[in-house]
């Protein structure tokens, strides 16, 4: 395997304000990291426009919270099937080709949404079809993308790279929903879909320029046996199993996004919908912009558990708050805690999983952080239709806190994980140190 990142000398620890600023070492060291980062920022911005526009259009066509929640239901099966198979493909195929082709496919789906929105009478079924197909493409792309980072970033920079990738997501997550609320309200759904299409065109133009990333020599061919091999490895790593379980519980029980249009109505603050969607990414952005401290934390498992429980607490508070500004503040806090959890989950994965299994484990990771929110939309929409919108939100947060606490008790390996002493992290660190890197600036 070729590592195109520059081995960095260990600098003195930063102090003062610099200790909080993001660590830019991966950006400085790897040209391919920079290209992927910019590409992801552009496409994420457009995707968040559609992320807001799609449920708003379903709401306009049906007026039903359950119908909006059903978007998650149609995304679930493609997510599970193609997430696992996409992980096997990422280990066996060139990762760059997978990323380029799936990014182009996403652009075509945005074109379908645009055409449907411009019709005199937009149909409902294309919205669900595009949601399902988009879920399939994302499920194929994400394992390839996630398994590519350890190849283009030095091992000691992986935590910083995870934080910078989180920043990439949050930039689009804050700007996209905030702008989408204005665009949808004043210009129409078509403009949101058109902007998404243009961002995918720009993203593909950047991704095609990164270096090829062929399969490792010892990688298994895509098959059920290869998928099962990855699953057995994950099951044998209880600290990894803990990260998957904690995130699944947090997202399934406390993901309120499907009911935000109805929460805004209930608070008599329809104007706040775009801000509600942007609040969670805004909290994540605050953490990303002050993420320098994360590179100096070693007990990643404890941070995953603590931040997931705090996420649930913040969501519960959002459901109980009767003032829209308090709701927005709680959502910002929830986003911040979720980002802390994501940074340390990503660090644990990238610093301990061998390259020949990285794609398949990335597929399992995709399920852990995507199936939860997807099914969570169904849960929150169904609970809102049954018990009310605010009850759906606060009860999910309370259940999340309890579930995360129970998982921490049942999986002590997660709480005792330390990157300095973990045998898998030490082995991978030694392998990367022994490799001869190629300078890429």
């Amino acid at each position: 395997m070729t590592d195109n990142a520059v081995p960095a000398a260990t600098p003195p620890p930063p102090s003062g304000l610099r200790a909080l600023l993001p660590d830019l070492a991966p950006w400085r060291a790897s040209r391919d990291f920079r290209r992927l980062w910019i590409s992801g920022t552009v496409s994420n911005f457009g995707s968040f426009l559609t992320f807001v526009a799609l449920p708003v259009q379903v709401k306009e066509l049906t007026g039903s919270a359950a119908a909006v929640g059903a978007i998650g239901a149609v995304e679930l099966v493609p997510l599970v099937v193609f997430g696992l198979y996409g992980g096997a493909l990422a280990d066996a195929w060139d990762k760059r080709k997978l990323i380029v082709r799936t990014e182009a496919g996403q652009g075509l789906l945005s074109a379908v949404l645009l055409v449907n929105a411009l019709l005199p009478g937009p149909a409902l079924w294309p919205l669900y079809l595009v949601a399902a197909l988009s879920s399939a493409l994302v499920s194929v792309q994400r394992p390839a993308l996630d398994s590519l980072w350890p190849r283009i970033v030095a091992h000691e920079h992986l935590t910083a790279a995870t934080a910078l990738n989180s920043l990439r997501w949050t930039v689009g997550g804050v700007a996209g929903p905030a702008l989408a609320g204005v665009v949808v309200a004043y210009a129409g759904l078509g403009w949101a879909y058109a902007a998404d299409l243009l961002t995918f065109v720009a993203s593909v133009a950047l991704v095609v320029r990164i270096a090829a990333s062929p399969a490792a020599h010892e990688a298994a061919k895509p098959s059920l046996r290869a998928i099962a091999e990855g699953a057995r490895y994950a099951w044998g790593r209880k600290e990894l199993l803990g990260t998957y379980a904690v995130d699944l519980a947090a997202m399934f029980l406390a993901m309120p996004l499907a009911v935000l249009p109805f929460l805004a109505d209930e608070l008599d603050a329809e104007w706040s919908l775009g801000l509600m969607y942007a609040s969670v990414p805004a909290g994540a952005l605050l953490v990303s912009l002050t993420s320098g401290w994360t590179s100096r934390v070693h007990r990643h498992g404890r941070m995953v558990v603590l931040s997931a429980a705090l996420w649930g607490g913040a969501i519960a508070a959002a459901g109980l708050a009767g003032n829209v500004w308090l709701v927005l503040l709680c959502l910002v806090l929830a986003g911040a805690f979720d980002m802390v959890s994501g940074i340390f989950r990503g660090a644990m994965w990238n610093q301990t999983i061998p390259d020949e299994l990285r794609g398949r484990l990335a597929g399992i990771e995709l399920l852990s952080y995507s199936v939860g929110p997807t099914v969570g939309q169904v849960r929150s929409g169904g609970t809102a239709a049954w018990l009310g919108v605010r009850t759906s939100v606060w009860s999910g947060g309370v259940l999340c806190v309890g579930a995360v606490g129970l998982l921490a008790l049942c999986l002590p390996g997660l709480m005792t994980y330390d990157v300095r002493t973990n045998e898998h992290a030490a082995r991978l660190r030694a392998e990367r140190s022994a490799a001869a890197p190629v300078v890429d600036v």
Side-chain angles (χ1 to χ4, degrees), residues 254 307-320 330 334 337 397-398 400-401:
S307 53
L310 291 172
W311 151 271
I315 294 298
L320 293 170
C330 290
F337 296 133
V398 171
C400 168
V401 174

Side-chain angles (χ1 to χ4, degrees), residues 66-79 128 131 135 258 370-371 373-378:
V68 176
I71 296 173
V74 301
E75 292 173 340
L76 180 59
V77 173
L79 188 63
Y128 289 117
S135 177
S370 297
V371 168
T374 302
V375 182
Q377 291 187 69
V378 180

Side-chain angles (χ1 to χ4, degrees), residues 221-242:
K221 300 299 181 183
S223 66
L224 291 176
R225 177 178 295 180
I227 294 172
E229 180 185 3
R232 284 193 299 271
Y233 178 85
W235 183 260
R237 294 277 309 280
K238 299 307 180 186
E239 70 277 22
L240 290 184
L241 191 63

Side-chain angles (χ1 to χ4, degrees), residues 11 93 98 115 118 123 139 180 191 200 234 279 358:
W93 288 11
L98 278 175
V115 171
L118 295 177
S139 298
W191 285 97
F200 279 118
S279 293
R358 191 68 190 87

Side-chain angles (χ1 to χ4, degrees), residues 44-192:
N44 284 346
F45 175 81
S47 296
F48 274 107
L49 290 174
T50 297
F51 179 74
V52 173
L54 189 64
V56 168
Q57 190 172 19
V58 173
K59 175 178 176 286
E60 289 181 354
L61 293 174
T62 67
S64 167
V68 176
I71 296 173
V74 301
E75 292 173 340
L76 180 59
V77 173
L79 188 63
V80 173
V81 174
F82 288 94
L84 292 173
Y85 189 66
L89 287 177
D91 280 336
W93 288 11
D94 187 295
K95 303 180 197 305
R96 182 191 62 178
K97 291 181 179 178
L98 278 175
I99 295 170
V100 170
R101 292 172 184 176
T102 51
E103 195 79 351
Q106 289 278 62
L108 291 176
L109 293 179
S110 296
V112 172
L113 290 175
L114 173 60
V115 171
N116 183 62
L118 295 177
L119 293 175
L124 179 63
W125 66 265
L127 306 183
Y128 289 117
L129 178 62
V130 167
L133 293 176
S134 177
S135 177
L137 288 174
V138 169
S139 298
V140 172
Q141 183 187 84
R142 286 301 295 267
L145 188 60
D146 290 347
S147 61
L148 182 57
W149 300 119
R151 288 190 170 192
I152 63 176
V153 175
H155 185 81
E156 63 271 19
H157 294 159
L158 284 172
T159 301
T162 302
L164 288 175
N165 284 329
S166 301
L167 178 61
R168 176 196 69 173
W169 178 83
T170 55
V171 167
V174 172
L179 180 61
V182 176
V183 171
V184 170
Y186 295 102
L189 293 161
W191 285 97

Side-chain angles (χ1 to χ4, degrees), residues 234-235 237 239-249 345 349 353 361-362 364-366 368-369:
W235 183 260
R237 294 277 309 280
E239 70 277 22
L240 290 184
L241 191 63
T243 66
Y244 305 147
V246 165
D247 194 47
L248 273 171
R345 290 197 315 270
W349 299 337
I353 298 172
L361 270 292
I364 296 173
E365 292 153 18
L366 174 69
S368 77
Y369 60 69

